[in-house]
Amino acid sequence: MHDSFDFDVIVVGGGHAGCEAASAAARTGARTALITHKVETIGEMSCNPAIGGLGKGHLVREIDALDGLMARASDRAGIQFRMLNRSKGPAVWGPRAQIDRQLYRSAMQGEILNHENLTVIADGVEDLMVKNDTAQGVIGESGTAYSAKAVVITTGTFLKGIIHRGAERIPAGRVGEKPAIGLAERLYALNLPIGRLKTGTPARLNGETIDWGKLEMQPADEVPIPFSYLTDQIEVPQIACGITHTNAAAHAIVAENLKRSAVYSGAIAGRGPRYCPAIEDKIYRFPEKTRHQIFLEPEGLDDKTVYPNGISTSLPREIQDAFIREIEGLESVEIFEYGYAIEYDYVDPRALDVGLQVKTMPGLFLAGQINGTTGYEEAGAQGLVAGLNAARFGRGKPHASFDRAEAYIGVLIDDLITRGVTEPYRMFTSRAEYRLSLRSDNADQRLTERGIELGLVGASRAEMFHVKQNALTDGRNKLQTLAMTPNAAQKHGWKVNQDGQRRTAWEFLAYPTISMTDISKAFPEVACLDQRTKDQLEIEAMYAGYIERQKDDVAALRREESLALPGDLDYGQVGGLTNEVRAKLEHVRPATLGQASRIEGITPGALTALLAYVRRRPSRTRANG
Amino acid sequence: MALRRDTICALASGPPPSAISVLRVSGPHVADIIAARCSLQTLKPRHATLVDLLDEKGTLIDSGLAVFMPGPASYTGEDTLEISLHGGRVITELALRSIMSAGARLAEPGEFTRRAFEAGKLDLTRAEAVADLIDAESEAQHQQALKQMDGALERLYAGWRDDLTTCLALLEASIDFPDEEDAPDRVDAPVRETLLRIDQALKDALVQGNITERIRDGFKIAILGKPNAGKSTLLNQISKREAAIVTDIPGTTRDVVEVRLTIGGYLVWLSDTAGLRETTDIVEAEGVRRAMKAADEADLRLWVYDAREDFDMSVVQPGDIVVANKSDLVAPKDVSRETLTIVAKTGEGVANLEADIISHISKMTQNLSAPMITRARHRQGIERALEYVSAARDHLKLQSGSEFVAEDVRQASRELGMLTGHIDPDTVLGAVFSSFCIGK
């Protein structure tokens, strides 16, 4: 039954995008190979050892709902679990954990090296194999040709990566890794639109030389809440992180040496992230701030390395030595490795379609930092989408995608391919229009069913999911059937309008003052539901009104998404478009009217013109497929 | 179903004065109207022809370019005439009167497009598209319009935009960056303050928008006064037809009689009302109640009294017009100089009264700097935004959670997008990053 290809899908790179891509493709049954030049760095965390946070934690839950790896690996490696925004509503809770680098790597390698349908090959990749303008495999450094129906490239910052530290320049992907030259040349030869970005990292400290006694400590949550719906409880010991601050003396040193920072010497052209500025940026841009907060995050239980989150820098080594030792608790700290800025090329993701396939080269998929994003979670989510669709491409199936009303994954991909990036792209909850329904608590309810249909979800998760769904349906039915008069409600001490209208338990739950505990006391049938079901339904009822309100919006979104714009649409033929609008449409070539509406600067007038034109065209072709 | 069609006409361009005014006429009588009112008996189809437009007495109103488009090859599918005249108020008004007197009536808003749709010229999507394009909702056009407007309004909208962005930035910073020392955790107080400001600004704009909407939909003028003061006669005189029944019996008019017409290029709804007096007649009492209501709703109140009687000035509010009728029956010195005198029956003085009405309406529109709110859709957008703003304020009061407040503020900003320009998440993030030092 095997055809002439060695594999269905080849994934190049063993980072976070690569692991999820390889696993997703393999889960759907595709014969998959993950090729990396160093098997022992699979699942390596190259920047700060933490997973999750606002928006990012949502992505991790979604990857998990589709049976991806990141959440489970994090649960086996998390050493400080915290639910961010606990004081706010559940829609904006953000699960986050400090991660033990070593534990994570071995958890991830355990998954990848023992994965059904997945072969791991240790080899560098020198070139793509291209036949009939279609990617059909890769050629290894070893000279071996590996053929495949589709190729996913997840090689991070390897395109013209340059490390900057003071006046030092080191061509590199990450410290100690050599950039892949041949593959990069091939990608440049494809003439994809390329941009340049930068990001930075702080020095790594020896935790044994930190004076922890002086510092405020931030403990983990008392009861750590796992990332994965499959994890019952966290068994990894939990630690605390330290908190310290920069001060006037440290600021003075940085300010005096601003010119020696690679960022301020004019050596760097790429744009850095606004949400993760170097310490020299913070001091320059916010001179009125007398101090900046630093989290001292241990990189592992048995690792004395500490990541000082908040002081990434590209100042020369001796300046880093000087200013860091001004900081409380770090007076005699030993620096293991100095901070640096890294500048790299990325592929403008507007060159990709909704499956993350290069529009001009069928069979070639790109995922992760190469598309201008930052973060493990963003990389993993893209990897999942690219791996899934690479496998589907091999079977001749159209892309599967998620829309903005369904998942943060959908928001991420749509933002990338529609708006491109101007700084390393990171997820925030404020990017999601449907934030109140895209919660971290309900990722499984939103996505697992889809995952089962797409063949991404294994049998055990599917079974667990159905049990949970049944419990929720039962509980919801109970809450929506049980009812009470306002008079009776008043006897329970609930403040409701005495209008004689019977209300269901579900409706009572929508009152901010009435909790599930109150409901359980009033209705014994509810009291006997299990706690997890009750918690989940309480959250659901809380947002039900708003989600109902958004239904029309979602319907409108889906209507526009279902209106495909032909890939070969001649925008010159569409009347009423300004040159500027036409240029933008030609650049992005949106697949649907909905996507067109989200391109920056596209006017409602232009959309109606587009709609009228497409409606008039007799034949309608699907945009991707 | 065969519909009996009448012929409609309307000013197709913006309200005069303007460089030119385009009048559009559509319906079965277009050819007759051309024959009756143009200096040429027939026009060559689809050719711009210079013609003289005449009134019913054959007097020249203006010369202009006329294009005759016989149906079905026209926008509405009916015979259509478009004529471009000089854009003065008087010319426009006389021209419309002349066309109407030749067998057309004023079109309802959107009636041309509705006819096009009914004639199968447009599918609904395209009909909507046309409305959208006319609405000039597009951001580019909006920006252009903003630039052309005087500074006050531009500052107003920019102010809304700034306030909304500030509000969202505060809320989003507190939600998305909980671990950041510099990002605010409790934002209730500044958000409450900003929302209050937005709330007030939107309410003010709605009041102002009322007037601009009137320009489009018509000013309401109520004729008020005691029974038998000559209100109905005056209505018939101004509207040049027997719209209201006129007798010598006091209390003849029981209900409110409304007539739609143009005065000085303004669209006007003129209403005749029951005479105001104490009465035991149930029907008449109801008429008086309706008259009072019409008086309340009117943009302009026109008090008419019999010059032979005294007039109780206490009912008059600033901005009302007072007219002494039947002035031919009294000596001129008996009427105060400030009061207009007319003889409704003969039409004497009515031209002066019309001039006075025009100047009153002009005064109302004079201080107007809000052309953007003339569209009902803009107004609805502001109204909906206002609802969301109050919902957000309620959430603050109830402390139901910043995610709810943010949701409503975001919806408000979406509704206002067409006026303030769309505020996208990146604008908000930009505001967050420039106000707070984010980056642990």
Side-chain angles (χ1 to χ4, degrees):
Chain A
M1 63 178 273
H2 280 193
D3 43 44
S4 57
F5 288 98
D6 299 326
F7 298 100
D8 294 324
V9 174
I10 286 177
V11 176
V12 183
H16 304 271
C19 288
E20 295 296 347
S23 170
R27 292 203 300 279
T28 67
R31 291 169 303 130
T32 307
L34 186 155
I35 307 186
T36 173
H37 61 285
K38 243 179 176 174
V39 174
E40 58 275 22
T41 60
I42 287 176
E44 179 69 77
M45 300 197 138
S46 53
C47 194
N48 68 322
I51 294 264
L54 266 296
K56 288 164 165 283
H58 293 75
L59 284 171
V60 178
R61 286 274 169 90
E62 291 180 359
I63 293 172
D64 186 64
L66 297 165
D67 219 2
L69 309 176
M70 185 170 275
R72 275 179 286 150
S74 302
D75 287 344
R76 274 181 267 157
I79 53 178
Q80 189 215 26
F81 276 84
R82 285 171 59 225
M83 186 60 85
L84 304 186
N85 270 346
R86 220 5 177 329
S87 63
K88 302 192 174 75
V92 292
W93 288 354
R96 182 189 191 273
Q98 210 52 52
I99 300 288
D100 180 307
R101 227 185 254 284
Q102 171 60 38
L103 287 177
Y104 191 88
R105 213 165 46 215
S106 51
M108 192 53 92
Q109 288 178 13
E111 296 276 358
I112 292 291
L113 295 173
N114 301 296
H115 206 298
E116 199 181 348
N117 300 328
L118 178 57
T119 310
V120 176
I121 298 168
D123 198 349
V125 169
E126 266 304 306
D127 202 358
L128 270 183
M129 284 172 14
V130 177
K131 270 183 206 151
N132 306 327
D133 288 328
T134 304
Q136 298 208 335
V138 298
I139 296 171
E141 261 172 11
S142 59
T144 316
Y146 308 95
S147 66
K149 294 175 190 165
V151 176
V152 184
I153 294 184
T154 67
T155 42
T157 58
F158 84 119
L159 292 174
K160 289 192 184 157
I162 295 178
I163 284 177
H164 297 257
R165 184 190 290 128
E168 291 177 72
R169 302 285 174 272
I170 313 159
R174 292 196 289 265
V175 167
E177 289 178 15
K178 57 176 182 175
I181 303 294
L183 184 59
E185 277 170 4
R186 166 65 86 165
L187 280 179
Y188 284 117
L190 292 178
N191 278 325
L192 301 172
I194 301 282
R196 200 149 176 81
L197 293 173
K198 73 147 174 117
T199 184
T201 185
R204 306 304 157 89
L205 311 177
N206 178 352
E208 291 178 350
T209 60
I210 293 173
D211 190 351
W212 297 99
K214 283 180 163 179
L215 302 177
E216 177 194 340
M217 297 303 282
Q218 180 188 51
D221 286 347
E222 244 166 75
V223 182
I225 297 177
F227 282 108
S228 173
Y229 295 97
L230 295 185
T231 308
D232 276 333
Q233 61 178 39
I234 300 299
E235 279 155 13
V236 188
Q238 299 293 292
I239 55 119
C241 290
I243 295 176
T244 184
H245 292 89
T246 57
N247 50 35
H251 286 202
I253 294 172
V254 172
E256 273 163 34
N257 292 283
L258 212 53
K259 280 272 172 267
R260 300 184 65 192
S261 154
V263 180
Y264 281 87
S265 64
I268 294 184
R271 292 209 25 199
R274 290 172 296 177
Y275 45 82
C276 189
I279 186 65
E280 47 267 42
D281 277 332
K282 296 186 192 179
I283 290 169
Y284 178 75
R285 290 180 43 219
F286 295 93
E288 71 283 5
K289 300 268 167 221
T290 53
R291 60 178 213 172
H292 295 282
Q293 185 175 244
I294 305 168
F295 286 83
L296 296 172
E297 302 171 344
E299 296 205 349
L301 296 172
D302 303 323
D303 186 341
K304 52 190 177 181
T305 312
V306 166
Y307 184 99
N309 201 341
I311 50 168
S312 84
T313 181
S314 62
L315 285 162
R317 294 165 194 255
E318 63 274 20
I319 310 298
Q320 295 191 29
D321 275 327
F323 93 80
I324 289 174
R325 293 201 180 106
E326 290 294 338
I327 294 167
E328 184 167 43
L330 307 181
E331 293 85 350
S332 47
V333 77
E334 180 193 352
I335 293 179
F336 280 152
E337 209 178 280
Y338 289 89
Y340 57 84
I342 178 165
E343 199 186 12
Y344 55 96
D345 279 358
Y346 71 99
V347 174
D348 181 343
R350 286 174 292 187
L352 308 176
D353 65 19
V354 73
L356 296 182
Q357 178 177 239
V358 175
K359 286 181 199 168
T360 52
M361 171 141 309
L364 180 62
F365 294 75
L366 304 181
Q369 234 172 337
I370 192 171
N371 293 339
T373 63
T374 173
Y376 311 128
E377 305 83 352
E378 289 83 352
Q382 288 174 73
L384 189 150
V385 169
L388 165 68
N389 284 305
R392 291 174 68 86
F393 177 82
R395 294 187 195 104
K397 290 189 181 171
H399 288 335
S401 62
F402 304 93
D403 72 32
R404 299 183 73 94
E406 178 173 38
Y408 274 87
I409 298 178
V411 174
L412 167 72
I413 305 286
D414 186 60
D415 277 351
L416 291 177
I417 66 171
T418 306
R419 304 178 68 100
V421 304
T422 50
E423 65 182 326
Y425 180 100
R426 175 180 149 184
M427 185 50 74
F428 299 107
T429 68
S430 53
R431 297 194 194 274
E433 299 85 339
Y434 307 102
R435 175 162 68 190
L436 300 187
S437 37
L438 304 189
R439 305 188 304 270
S440 62
D441 64 83
N442 68 357
D444 55 343
Q445 292 174 69
R446 290 185 276 120
L447 294 172
T448 302
E449 196 77 62
R450 273 295 300 285
I452 294 169
E453 283 164 27
L454 292 167
L456 279 171
V457 173
S460 62
R461 182 185 296 263
E463 197 192 320
M464 243 188 91
F465 170 72
H466 287 129
V467 169
K468 181 175 169 186
Q469 281 300 87
N470 289 340
L472 286 173
T473 309
D474 284 352
R476 205 178 292 121
N477 286 344
K478 264 186 194 160
L479 288 166
Q480 289 172 350
T481 328
L482 295 165
M484 198 182 270
T485 62
N487 203 358
Q490 202 169 27
K491 285 179 189 140
H492 288 282
W494 303 348
K495 285 195 189 100
V496 299
N497 213 351
Q498 293 298 315
D499 53 7
Q501 286 286 319
R502 281 172 77 82
R503 289 176 179 78
T504 64
W506 185 257
E507 286 163 338
F508 284 123
L509 266 181
Y511 286 77
T513 49
I514 302 174
S515 71
M516 185 59 101
T517 316
D518 300 324
I519 296 286
S520 297
K521 276 181 201 148
F523 299 100
E525 300 93 321
V526 175
C528 65
L529 296 173
D530 79 273
Q531 194 55 44
R532 276 196 182 190
T533 305
K534 280 196 279 191
D535 290 347
Q536 187 60 48
L537 291 172
E538 183 169 23
I539 297 173
E540 244 180 66
M542 176 174 177
Y543 294 110
Y546 271 74
I547 287 160
E548 189 60 35
R549 191 174 93 180
Q550 284 184 340
K551 268 189 179 159
D552 289 345
D553 287 353
V554 174
L557 169 86
R558 299 213 159 123
R559 244 189 341 265
E560 289 185 345
E561 290 308 321
S562 69
L563 226 142
L565 300 178
D568 61 352
L569 186 66
D570 180 359
Y571 289 100
Q573 294 295 309
V574 182
L577 298 183
T578 64
N579 288 337
E580 190 193 350
V581 164
R582 193 168 66 231
K584 281 178 174 166
L585 289 166
E586 277 166 355
H587 186 77
V588 178
R589 298 216 147 266
T592 64
L593 191 72
Q595 195 190 341
S597 73
R598 292 185 296 274
I599 297 172
E600 199 201 333
I602 299 300
T603 60
L607 287 174
T608 25
L610 206 52
L611 176 66
Y613 180 79
V614 174
R615 282 269 164 89
R616 270 205 307 277
R617 269 172 63 118
S619 66
R620 282 171 60 184
T621 42
R622 260 203 66 78
N624 345 283
Chain B
M1 187 179 68
L3 289 168
R4 198 178 55 82
R5 284 280 185 208
D6 49 6
T7 299
I8 53 173
C9 67
L11 177 63
S13 53
S18 55
I20 56 166
S21 283
V22 180
L23 306 187
R24 181 150 66 168
V25 192
S26 173
H29 307 307
V30 166
D32 302 339
I33 292 172
I34 291 170
R37 296 288 182 257
C38 290
S39 51
L40 296 168
Q41 286 297 299
T42 55
L43 295 176
K44 192 176 169 194
R46 277 174 289 283
H47 274 259
T49 314
L50 185 68
V51 299
D52 290 342
L53 185 71
L54 312 171
D55 69 11
E56 54 265 51
K57 290 174 196 146
T59 317
L60 174 69
I61 297 171
D62 193 14
S63 305
L65 274 185
V67 182
F68 172 55
M69 288 156 283
S74 73
Y75 177 68
T76 55
E78 305 172 324
D79 286 356
T80 302
L81 171 71
E82 283 179 16
I83 181 160
S84 309
L85 303 168
H86 297 97
R89 278 186 182 135
V90 177
I91 290 173
T92 307
E93 192 208 333
L94 291 177
L96 279 174
R97 273 194 192 179
S98 161
I99 290 166
M100 284 191 281
S101 64
R105 66 166 171 82
L106 265 186
E108 305 287 334
E111 198 171 3
F112 287 98
T113 301
R114 196 171 71 229
R115 288 189 173 194
F117 175 62
E118 284 164 4
K121 287 278 169 180
L122 302 170
D123 66 17
L124 190 56
T125 329
R126 286 180 61 201
E128 281 172 0
V130 171
D132 276 354
L133 290 175
I134 294 168
D135 271 7
E137 230 69 294
S138 84
E139 208 157 325
Q141 285 165 307
H142 160 70
Q143 289 301 339
Q144 203 179 4
L146 270 185
K147 275 187 206 129
Q148 289 163 356
M149 273 183 313
D150 75 15
L153 193 65
E154 187 177 343
R155 277 195 299 278
L156 174 71
Y157 291 152
W160 293 0
R161 192 186 161 85
D162 288 351
D163 280 349
L164 281 168
T165 308
T166 306
C167 228
L168 283 168
L170 284 163
L171 291 161
E172 297 302 349
S174 81
I175 288 171
D176 261 339
F177 304 99
D179 254 5
E180 297 283 349
E181 196 180 39
D182 195 39
D185 187 39
R186 304 297 302 170
V187 294
D188 288 14
V191 169
R192 188 180 302 120
E193 204 174 287
T194 315
L195 284 179
L196 179 68
R197 204 160 54 225
I198 297 172
D199 185 89
Q200 197 50 53
L202 296 184
K203 283 178 183 156
D204 290 349
L206 283 174
V207 170
Q208 208 189 23
N210 249 330
I211 295 165
T212 44
E213 207 165 81
R214 285 288 180 267
I215 293 180
R216 208 169 54 90
D217 295 341
F219 286 86
K220 291 183 181 162
I221 303 178
I223 306 178
L224 303 158
K226 286 189 180 162
N228 227 12
K231 298 181 294 296
S232 300
T233 312
L234 178 61
L235 175 97
N236 290 346
Q237 185 62 248
I238 294 178
S239 66
K240 308 267 187 294
R241 62 191 171 103
E242 300 295 313
I245 301 166
V246 178
T247 71
D248 290 335
I249 306 162
T252 301
T253 304
R254 299 297 182 89
D255 204 348
V256 176
V257 176
E258 266 193 331
V259 178
R260 183 185 160 94
L261 65 150
T262 59
I263 298 180
Y266 292 110
L267 182 61
V268 158
W269 290 93
L270 189 61
S271 48
D272 179 24
T273 62
L276 303 174
R277 66 168 168 187
E278 299 283 328
T279 175
T280 49
D281 181 319
I282 299 172
V283 179
E284 193 184 350
E286 174 61 19
V288 171
R289 198 190 63 77
R290 290 187 186 189
M292 302 303 284
K293 186 161 170 270
D296 274 352
E297 289 172 356
D299 301 301
L300 179 59
R301 279 169 296 272
L302 202 59
W303 294 96
V304 180
Y305 71 98
D306 188 324
R308 292 167 297 179
E309 297 171 10
D310 284 336
F311 179 67
D312 173 13
M313 287 299 283
S314 68
V315 296
V316 178
Q317 295 172 27
D320 291 0
I321 296 177
V322 181
V323 189
N325 189 22
K326 310 181 190 178
S327 61
D328 53 336
L329 303 179
V330 293
K333 62 174 170 52
D334 289 350
V335 181
S336 114
R337 276 191 177 168
E338 283 79 47
T339 307
L340 278 164
T341 55
I342 58 166
V343 182
K345 215 176 206 168
T346 62
E348 192 188 317
V350 170
N352 283 341
L353 172 59
E354 289 191 21
D356 205 35
I357 291 174
I358 293 168
S359 96
H360 269 75
I361 295 180
S362 304
K363 222 177 271 169
M364 272 188 248
T365 59
Q366 206 169 50
N367 300 328
L368 202 68
S369 52
M372 307 301 290
I373 314 175
T374 51
R375 291 272 149 195
R377 276 179 60 180
H378 287 195
R379 184 183 180 77
Q380 282 162 9
I382 296 178
E383 279 167 354
R384 281 195 299 264
L386 196 54
E387 278 172 37
Y388 285 121
V389 169
S390 15
R393 297 176 66 204
D394 287 347
H395 281 306
L396 275 177
K397 241 178 257 156
L398 295 170
Q399 307 224 318
S400 37
S402 51
E403 75 272 29
F404 288 109
V405 183
E407 184 63 28
D408 281 318
V409 174
R410 194 203 314 232
Q411 290 294 341
S413 100
R414 218 182 66 161
E415 296 292 352
L416 287 179
M418 58 188 156
L419 292 174
T420 62
H422 179 56
I423 300 174
D424 64 17
D426 217 55
T427 316
V428 176
L429 286 168
V432 171
F433 298 134
S434 59
S435 323
F436 310 113
C437 184
I438 302 290
K440 67 170 254 190

